[in-house]
Each structure stands twice: as C-alpha cells, then as structure tokens.
C-alpha cells in the first residue's frame, strides 16, 4: 500500500511516525480539508491538534496561517507558542438550564497545575469548548473561542482534536467592560448602603441603623430568652472643647472618640453616634453587671486617652454613662433608651464622669421604685 502524500508545510508527527495506516490516511484527509478551508480566508482559524495517551505534550498536525501570524512563530513551534501565550482560559458549563451558565476562569499557572484533569474532562465529553485570552506577537491581547471535537484511535493511543478558533476580542472586551461596570455598581451600592447606616464623622452606626437593629434584637432576645444591655453615653462639658479649640477640632475630637469606642467594643457589640456628643452602645449578651463593667472600661479608656495629639492640643475627655438591660429593666426600645438616658443624667447630677444604672421594681401597691446601681455614684 502506498504511503499517503505528506502535505506541504507539514508540522506534525503522525504522518512521519510509526502509526497505523488508517490513522495516517484519516489525518491526511483532514489536513487537506482544513488546508482548503484555510485558503478560503474564512474568519475562523482551523487547527488539528494531537497527543499520545502515554505522553503529556500536545502538538499540531495542522495549524492555520492566521494563528501562525498571531503567534509570530513557525508552524512547528505553534503549540509551544500558543501554550505560552495564554493569559486566561474561560470555561463555560451548564448549571440547570441553557440560560444558566457557570464561568470558570483559570490563569496560566492554574492551567499547568490542572492540565491532566482538564484533558481527562475533554476525553470524557468528547468536545472542547473554551475561550482563551492570549498575548499575541504584536503586543496586543486577543480573545479566541475554541471549539473542537475529539477523536480517539485506541490502537495507536492517539487522540485527535479537530477544531477551530474564532476571534471574539470585541465580544469579550465588551463582556469584561460590563463586568467592570457591574462590579463598580456593586461597590457603589455597598458604599451607599454603608453610608446610609453609618455616621460620616465618627464611622460608628447612625440612629437609622439603631432604630432598625434594636427592634430586631429585642424580638430575637425575647424568643431566645437572652439578655442585652444599652449604654447611653454623653461627653462631659464638651462645650468647653468647642469654645476653647473651635468647632473643627471639636469634630475631630468626636471622630477620635468614635475610634476609641470601636476599638473597645467586642463584636457583636456596636456603637452609635446618637447626636452631637451623645453615643449609644449596644451590648448583646451583656447582663447588668457585665454592661456596667464594660461601660466603666470605656469610661476609663476615654479618660486615659489624650485627644487631638496630632494637632498639638492634648485634650482630655470625661464621660457620663447610663446603663439599661433587657428584659430586666424594660422590654421596649423606647423604655430601654429612656432608662439608659435617665441613668446617664443621674450621673450628671452626682458629679459626672461615672457609670450608673437605675433598676426599678414595682411594689405591691403599684408604685415603681428606682434603685441606682453603679461603680462610684451610689446614692
């Protein structure tokens, strides 16, 4: 039987190697068909790739002139050049329906690590569908959509991939731009959400968040029978800071106090800029004594911190804090805040710079009697 005529510019191994005649005849016909198609100048880039079962190297039996031009190499080196030019490989797989597609993006280093796994997937499905982002010889980036059908020749332990590449740079760049816009919108949306519930000056939560989160915490705690406490905090004699150092430095002081609070509060506790120089601290899981202890810790930390040091002003701050606890003192948002506020004013009346809580009990005749509980402002 006569040997098949080796096509011009042949760059493969099969026709020159020790393989079966049926395989060589098939490869020859495919090359001739692909050469004719390539000469038509179609926008697609045909290729024939092959690899041996016992080896890990893929080579081209035929490669289009367009791909040679993109890679800037000889046909014999096209496989290596293409492999080294890959920046990303995008794989699309069906999830539940044709409309739901999952995209997997692999970087060049990941392709090397998962080479065997990816080849096994192609062998199992019999088809290859992927999109490659490549760095071409002209310095530009191109996107190539790869579609191929796999053929197996078991006696020769050879796999043949008959495929074509389509330049989809405009489409993929548009998709990338859309993703960038979507990501930017998501970041903006998240930023606006954060801004909507945070105080711009201190970075603490604002009252909008407090009046949303607190009812939810009350409802959850009522069901789970958990306790939590509120702390109402007011900066003592803050008007002196304003009068002495001006409004800008006073605002900077509040900002630094917000930083002190955020550093002192353990999650999931959080602080709220309630207005002016007033703050509310929400302490989930804290009973009365624990909340008094935390409030005292915060009072001491604020007292020991020197504020406006960068401005060279060295401002000292004192604070008054009132505590209320759910459900011992009250079980509604309004009452809890009012009791904490009342306890804070009790501190003000007794000399400021301290921590208090007022616990009420109801007598047999229906009277409510309050008792001050504190570290150092006992009646």
């Amino acid at each position: 039987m006569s040997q098949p005529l080796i096509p011009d510019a042949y760059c493969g191994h099969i026709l020159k190697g020790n393989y079966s005649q049926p395989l060589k005849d098939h490869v020859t016909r495919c090359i001739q068909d692909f050469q004719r198609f390539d000469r038509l100048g179609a926008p697609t880039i045909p290729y024939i790739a092959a690899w041996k079962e016992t080896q890990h190297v893929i080579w081209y039996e035929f490669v289009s002139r367009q791909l040679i031009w993109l890679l800037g190499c000889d046909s014999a080196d096209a496989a290596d050049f293409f492999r080294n030019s890959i920046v990303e490989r995008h794989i699309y797989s069906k999830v539940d329906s044709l409309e739901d597609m999952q995209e997997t993006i692999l970087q060049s280093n990941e392709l090397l690590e998962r080479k065997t796994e990816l080849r096994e997937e192609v062998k199992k499905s019999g088809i290859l569908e992927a999109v490659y982002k490549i760095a071409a010889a002209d310095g530009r980036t191109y996107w190539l959509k790869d579609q191929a059908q796999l053929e197996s020749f078991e006696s020769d332990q050879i796999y043949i991939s008959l495929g074509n590449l389509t330049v989809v740079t405009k489409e993929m760049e548009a998709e990338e731009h859309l993703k960038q816009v979507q990501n930017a919108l998501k970041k903006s949306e998240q930023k606006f959400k954060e801004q909507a519930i945070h105080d711009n000056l201190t970075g603490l939560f604002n009252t909008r968040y407090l009046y949303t989160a607190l009812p939810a915490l009350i409802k959850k705690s009522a069901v789970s029978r958990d306790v939590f406490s509120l702390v109402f905090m007011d900066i003592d004699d803050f008007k002196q800071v304003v009068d002495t150092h001006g409004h800008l430095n006073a605002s900077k002081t509040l900002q630094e106090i917000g930083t002190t609070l955020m550093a002192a509060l353990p999650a999931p506790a959080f602080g709220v800029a309630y207005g002016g120089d007033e703050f509310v601290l929400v302490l989930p899981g804290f009973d009365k004594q624990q909340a008094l202890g935390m409030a005292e810790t915060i009072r001491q930390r604020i007292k020991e911190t020197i504020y406006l040091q960068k401005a060279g002003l060295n401002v000292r701050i004192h604070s008054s804090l009132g505590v209320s606890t759910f459900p011992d003192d009250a079980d509604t948002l309004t009452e809890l805040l009012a009791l904490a506020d009342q306890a804070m004013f009790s501190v003000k009346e007794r000399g400021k710079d301290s921590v208090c809580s007022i616990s009420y009990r109801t007598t047999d005749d229906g009277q409510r009697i309050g008792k001050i509980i504190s570290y150092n402002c006992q009646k």
Side-chain angles (χ1 to χ4, degrees):
M1 183 180 295
S2 61
Q3 294 292 325
L5 182 66
I6 296 179
D8 295 336
Y10 177 67
C11 60
H13 302 322
I14 293 175
L15 300 186
K16 296 179 180 179
N18 186 23
Y19 298 102
S20 68
Q21 195 61 44
L23 172 59
K24 291 185 176 182
D25 290 341
H26 178 67
V27 169
T28 300
R29 289 192 297 270
C30 288
I31 291 176
Q32 290 171 347
D33 291 340
F34 276 46
Q35 283 178 331
R36 284 193 289 268
F37 181 77
D38 194 36
R39 284 194 289 267
L40 293 175
T44 57
I45 304 172
Y47 69 87
I48 303 173
W51 76 83
K52 195 171 177 65
E53 178 69 30
T54 56
Q55 298 175 356
H56 300 288
V57 179
I58 296 177
W59 69 86
Y60 284 122
E61 288 293 306
F62 168 80
V63 59
S64 169
R65 293 170 299 173
Q66 295 181 68
L67 186 58
I68 295 299
W69 176 81
L70 280 176
L71 298 175
C73 65
D74 295 328
S75 57
D77 300 321
D80 288 335
F81 271 67
F82 183 73
R83 190 160 40 245
N84 294 330
S85 72
I86 295 174
V87 178
E88 294 175 357
R89 173 176 169 171
H90 294 228
I91 306 170
Y92 300 88
S93 55
K94 298 175 186 176
V95 181
D96 296 319
S97 64
L98 290 175
E99 290 77 18
D100 297 323
M101 300 295 289
Q102 179 176 338
E103 180 184 27
T104 303
I105 302 176
L106 300 177
Q107 305 297 321
S108 56
N109 61 315
E110 295 176 292
L111 286 174
L112 290 174
E113 295 170 0
R114 297 180 57 181
K115 178 172 60 176
T116 302
E117 172 193 343
L118 294 171
R119 191 173 297 176
E120 289 301 316
E121 289 178 1
V122 173
K123 286 164 60 176
K124 183 178 179 179
S125 64
I127 58 172
L128 169 64
E129 290 184 327
V131 177
Y132 294 98
K133 182 181 183 180
I134 69 166
D138 60 3
R140 298 170 60 188
T141 297
Y142 290 88
W143 291 86
L144 301 176
K145 182 179 181 180
D146 190 6
Q147 294 175 297
Q149 178 177 324
L150 192 66
E151 296 181 347
S152 173
F153 293 82
E154 294 183 4
S155 62
D156 294 281
Q157 294 186 312
I158 286 288
Y159 286 91
I160 302 292
S161 179
L162 305 174
N164 66 274
L165 301 166
T166 306
V167 179
V168 290
T169 304
K170 290 182 178 180
E171 293 86 345
M172 291 302 293
E173 286 180 346
E175 182 178 325
E176 276 198 328
H177 178 68
L178 177 60
K179 287 180 181 179
Q180 290 172 357
V181 171
Q182 289 173 335
N183 288 336
L185 287 173
K186 285 181 181 179
K187 288 181 180 179
S188 295
E189 182 181 358
Q190 184 61 34
K191 182 179 179 180
F192 290 137
K193 285 182 178 179
E194 289 293 315
Q195 289 177 341
I197 60 174
H198 283 84
D199 176 60
N200 292 332
L201 178 63
T202 63
L204 298 170
F205 286 106
N206 57 23
T207 53
R208 181 185 292 109
Y209 181 79
L210 176 67
Y211 288 114
T212 300
L214 203 50
L217 180 59
I218 290 172
K219 183 178 181 180
K220 177 183 176 184
S221 300
V223 173
S224 60
R225 298 180 180 274
D226 290 330
V227 299
F228 73 86
S229 295
L230 297 183
V231 179
F232 211 110
M233 184 180 89
D234 182 83
I235 306 303
D236 296 332
D237 304 314
F238 191 69
K239 187 176 183 300
Q240 292 183 10
V241 179
V242 178
D243 293 341
T244 304
H245 303 294
H247 286 88
L248 290 179
N249 283 320
S251 295
K252 181 63 177 175
T253 303
L254 291 174
Q255 187 179 56
E256 293 182 11
I257 291 171
T259 301
T260 301
L261 293 175
M262 284 189 283
L265 290 171
F270 62 90
V272 176
Y274 197 74
D277 57 352
E278 294 181 330
F279 301 86
V280 172
L281 313 178
V282 181
L283 308 176
F286 280 67
D287 62 21
K288 178 77 68 182
Q289 291 303 319
Q290 291 171 325
L292 286 168
M294 175 55 66
E296 176 64 14
T297 297
I298 289 171
R299 185 190 69 82
Q300 288 283 0
R301 187 168 298 189
I302 290 174
K303 187 174 182 178
E304 294 167 0
T305 301
I306 302 174
Y307 295 98
L308 297 182
Q309 288 189 75
K310 291 183 179 180
L313 299 177
N314 299 331
V315 173
R316 295 280 190 173
I317 295 295
H318 295 169
S319 57
S320 298
L321 301 92
V323 176
S324 65
T325 300
F326 173 93
D328 299 342
D329 298 331
D331 58 6
T332 68
L333 180 153
T334 302
E335 288 182 318
L336 285 166
L337 285 173
L339 283 172
D341 188 38
Q342 184 181 351
M344 182 269 292
F345 274 105
S346 294
V347 176
K348 296 284 190 181
E349 293 172 353
R350 290 163 175 78
K352 306 176 183 179
D353 189 25
S354 188
V355 175
C356 274
S357 175
I358 301 177
S359 289
Y360 282 93
R361 67 180 180 86
T362 303
T363 63
D364 293 338
D365 57 1
Q367 293 184 356
R368 294 189 74 202
I369 300 176
K371 178 184 178 183
I372 293 178
I373 303 174
S374 172
Y375 274 81
N376 53 4
C377 71
Q378 298 248 358
K379 207 167 186 180

